[in-house]
Amino acid sequence: MEWNRTSKALSQVAVDAVILFVTDTLHLSKEGKLIDLRLNHYLSQLMDSEEITGRFEECMLLHTRGEIAAQKIVLVGLGNEKKWSPQRFRQCVAIGARKAQQSGVKELAISVPEFLEKHFGSADLVQAVVEGVELGCYELPNYKQTSRNTSIKKVVFSEQTLSKTSIEAGMERGRVFAEASKKASTWCHEPANYLTPTVLANYADEVAKRCGLEIDIVDKDRLEELNAHAFLAVAKGSAQPPKLIMLRYQGAPDDKEVLGLVGKGVTFDSGGLQIKPHEGMDQMKSDMSGAAAVLAAMDAIGTLKPHCNVVAVIVSCENMTGSHAYRPGDVLRAMSGKTIEVTHTDAEGRLILADGLAYARQLGATKLVDIATLTGAALVCLGREKALMLGNDDTLLQDVFVAAGLAGEPVWKFPLEEEYDHYLHSDIADVKNEGGRAAGAIQGGVFLQHFVEDTPWVHLDIAGPAFSQKDSGIYRKGATGAGTRTLIHLALQMGL
């Protein structure tokens, strides 16, 4: 998508469509009022007749009948002023851009309403515009022989009320954030026969070379040397070899603080010997959403170059039912030395993350964030609207909460207290990997806490938001790349 800037008012930009915004008090921006005047108060008439209400996410397509340079207007409601935020503005931009795209628009013009600038930073609003258009109009790839190309080719940003510096900063960051989210969603969308652990490692190699990151791809033999037996056990049932992918960004060599990002990369999850029900199993190709978020975030971090240090560990394999598959009742010794009683083979994500977290600590991570589609229980608890968050450090929990808010990827904090430990008590090992249905989402955190020791740590369970069942705001139906922009914001916060 090509982005251009113009000093012209929206009414003078010769494109297929312009996007305008209206509040629930029926207040138009200066640009909108000028266009309304050129249209002989047509917009005002629609508002007077209550055909336009300005409620949040209301969207209407209008034809200009040659009264302005653009052929169409997409009018989007911003809702109540008390609820305005860059995040809600991003959603509205996405809805308007997608409406334009669906009507066949190839060239689009947009600006930031001046009344929003009174409340929020200009660069943040420009970034919201770019992310909203790019993500709202992104179409996941398909494998059909022929497909209809409906994408918007060019966006013109009117800089009537903003400084050049704000526009340049917002555009640069918006495009990097959006590109990262699109990559993550594309990788999650790839069929498991196309995207294997080896292919994911190849993608990581491309990212490292382009961004100047240190990379180390650890194969099965070296995993044996590292005693990563929890990770290896999960991988044993598959013909696809496991890969542990390490990426390192060092933007603050003199700083001892190192952010460790650990992503679950199960490229297909059958459930193992305790196999999943057939319903929904075709979506288990996206059980590597955490890995995709980490890899895409490292791509963006390497591009933006914040003043911080980040080490990423991606643990990638398949969980299959082959003759070598691990079994219920097995006892595994993890990289940390702790033993694990396997009570359910479909609680595999926490097993590979246990070794991933231990390895990140070995690599010098001073704070840890893991991200995974870990439990169906998180989806049951929070739906697809929020990710589950828990951890052992209040400061890091708050940092992640703020980053998620800036990204517009809301999280909800769950408890992690000793009273939940009994669910994973084992009579024969240090811990068991699953303890029944009760507190299922919290159990994942209780288990992982055993492998972070005293390192500050946060766990993000994105089982809900990693996949959207419909077009909604910036998300299209399918894989969403959830968590990617949260991790980028977290790294940027560390660099301040």
Side-chain angles (χ1 to χ4, degrees):
M1 192 178 292
E2 176 187 346
W3 282 81
N4 294 324
R5 302 200 307 264
T6 181
S7 58
K8 293 181 179 179
L10 286 182
S11 60
Q12 299 173 324
V13 183
V15 289
D16 298 330
V18 298
I19 296 181
L20 297 178
F21 302 95
V22 59
T23 72
D24 69 345
T25 56
L26 302 181
H27 180 59
L28 288 166
S29 66
K30 292 178 181 177
E31 297 263 41
K33 290 176 181 177
L34 179 59
I35 288 175
D36 186 35
L37 182 63
R38 295 279 297 273
L39 295 178
N40 298 314
H41 303 290
Y42 179 50
L43 302 182
S44 296
Q45 293 169 24
L46 292 173
M47 289 186 278
D48 290 342
S49 64
E50 298 185 350
E51 292 180 66
I52 294 173
T53 67
R55 71 177 184 275
F56 181 57
E57 296 186 343
E58 176 185 60
C59 191
M60 179 179 290
L61 179 72
L62 306 168
H63 291 267
T64 65
R65 299 170 292 184
E67 299 293 340
I68 63 173
Q71 299 172 23
K72 301 173 184 176
I73 296 170
V74 179
L75 196 62
V76 185
L78 290 175
N80 190 288
E81 180 178 356
K82 293 180 180 179
K83 296 183 179 180
W84 287 350
S85 67
Q87 292 72 43
R88 285 169 73 89
F89 181 50
R90 183 191 295 115
Q91 296 290 93
C92 291
V93 171
I95 289 166
R98 187 158 57 246
K99 182 77 168 181
Q101 179 177 260
Q102 291 169 347
S103 73
V105 166
K106 299 297 183 185
E107 296 185 351
L108 182 68
I110 191 169
S111 67
V112 173
E114 74 286 343
F115 48 76
L116 286 179
E117 295 173 58
K118 297 177 182 178
H119 299 270
F120 312 106
S122 298
D124 293 336
L125 292 170
V126 174
Q127 181 175 346
V129 167
V130 176
E131 290 178 13
V133 175
E134 292 274 359
L135 297 178
C137 294
Y138 182 59
E139 295 181 341
L140 288 164
N142 64 56
Y143 303 92
K144 297 179 180 180
Q145 284 187 313
T146 58
S147 58
R148 189 166 61 96
N149 188 347
T150 60
S151 61
I152 292 175
K153 302 296 185 185
K154 185 172 82 170
V155 183
V156 180
F157 189 92
S158 175
E159 50 189 21
Q160 283 278 298
T161 61
L162 298 176
S163 71
K164 182 179 179 181
T165 303
S166 297
I167 294 171
E168 289 179 348
M171 278 193 170
E172 179 189 4
R173 286 179 54 168
R175 296 183 77 172
V176 172
F177 274 68
E179 190 63 27
S181 285
K182 290 192 289 187
K183 285 177 181 175
S185 60
T186 298
W187 291 330
C188 296
H189 176 73
E190 289 274 30
N193 61 323
Y194 282 34
L195 193 142
T196 63
T198 299
V199 172
L200 186 63
N202 291 339
Y203 284 137
D205 191 54
E206 293 173 8
V207 169
K209 288 176 180 175
R210 185 174 62 255
C211 298
L213 306 177
E214 178 188 343
I215 185 168
D216 184 22
I217 298 172
V218 183
D219 61 14
K220 181 180 177 182
D221 290 341
R222 286 180 59 202
L223 288 168
E224 292 279 5
E225 294 172 6
L226 289 168
N227 296 316
H229 299 302
F231 180 22
L232 287 167
V234 175
K236 282 170 61 178
S238 173
Q240 294 292 336
K243 300 290 180 183
L244 185 151
I245 303 161
M246 188 286 295
L247 293 163
R248 188 186 295 274
Y249 167 77
Q250 200 159 359
D254 297 330
D255 193 343
K256 294 181 180 179
E257 289 292 307
V258 179
L259 173 63
L261 303 179
V262 182
K264 173 188 172 184
V266 178
T267 57
F268 189 79
D269 181 17
S270 71
L273 292 179
Q274 287 164 290
I275 196 165
K276 291 178 180 289
H278 75 277
E279 184 180 356
M281 195 190 286
D282 60 316
Q283 295 304 326
M284 288 301 101
K285 64 183 183 179
S286 64
D287 207 17
M288 42 70 68
S289 295
V294 169
L295 180 54
M298 289 302 289
D299 193 343
I301 291 165
T303 301
L304 294 171
K305 298 187 173 12
H307 184 73
C308 66
N309 303 315
V310 186
V311 62
V313 174
I314 292 168
V315 275
S316 185
C317 65
E318 289 185 334
N319 184 25
M320 301 296 281
T321 59
S323 59
H324 298 289
Y326 76 124
R327 299 156 290 252
D330 284 358
V331 174
L332 314 174
R333 188 174 296 277
M335 188 186 297
S336 68
K338 290 193 174 184
T339 55
I340 304 165
E341 178 189 3
V342 177
T343 52
H344 207 302
T345 62
D346 195 25
E348 86 297 333
R350 63 199 67 182
L351 295 176
I352 69 174
L353 286 173
D355 282 345
L357 287 164
Y359 193 56
R361 292 180 71 242
Q362 288 185 27
L363 294 171
T366 58
K367 57 184 71 174
L368 294 164
V369 176
D370 77 77
I371 182 167
T373 45
L374 201 71
T375 66
L379 173 60
V380 172
C381 291
L382 295 173
R384 299 195 179 278
E385 286 70 31
K386 287 182 173 64
L388 178 151
M389 175 181 73
L390 46 74
N392 65 2
D393 184 86
D394 288 341
T395 299
L396 186 56
L397 282 163
Q398 181 62 24
D399 288 344
V400 174
F401 181 81
V402 170
L406 291 170
E409 298 178 326
V411 296
W412 193 264
K413 182 178 176 291
F414 270 45
L416 184 66
E417 298 161 359
E418 288 185 9
E419 63 193 278
Y420 290 99
D421 291 353
H422 71 92
Y423 287 107
L424 299 184
H425 171 76
S426 170
D427 293 331
I428 61 171
D430 292 319
V431 64
K432 62 184 180 182
N433 76 323
E434 194 266 348
R437 292 173 62 87
I442 296 173
Q443 284 184 35
V446 171
F447 179 88
L448 293 174
Q449 190 173 25
H450 282 268
F451 302 92
V452 299
E453 303 296 339
D454 57 353
T455 306
W457 154 78
V458 166
H459 163 62
L460 291 172
D461 190 335
I462 56 170
F467 193 89
S468 179
Q469 294 180 312
K470 61 181 181 179
D471 289 348
S472 177
I474 62 170
Y475 295 134
R476 305 303 303 268
K477 181 179 180 180
T480 64
T484 302
R485 289 175 297 112
T486 295
L487 299 182
I488 303 169
H489 273 292
L490 185 61
L492 294 178
Q493 286 170 209
M494 278 190 64
L496 295 176

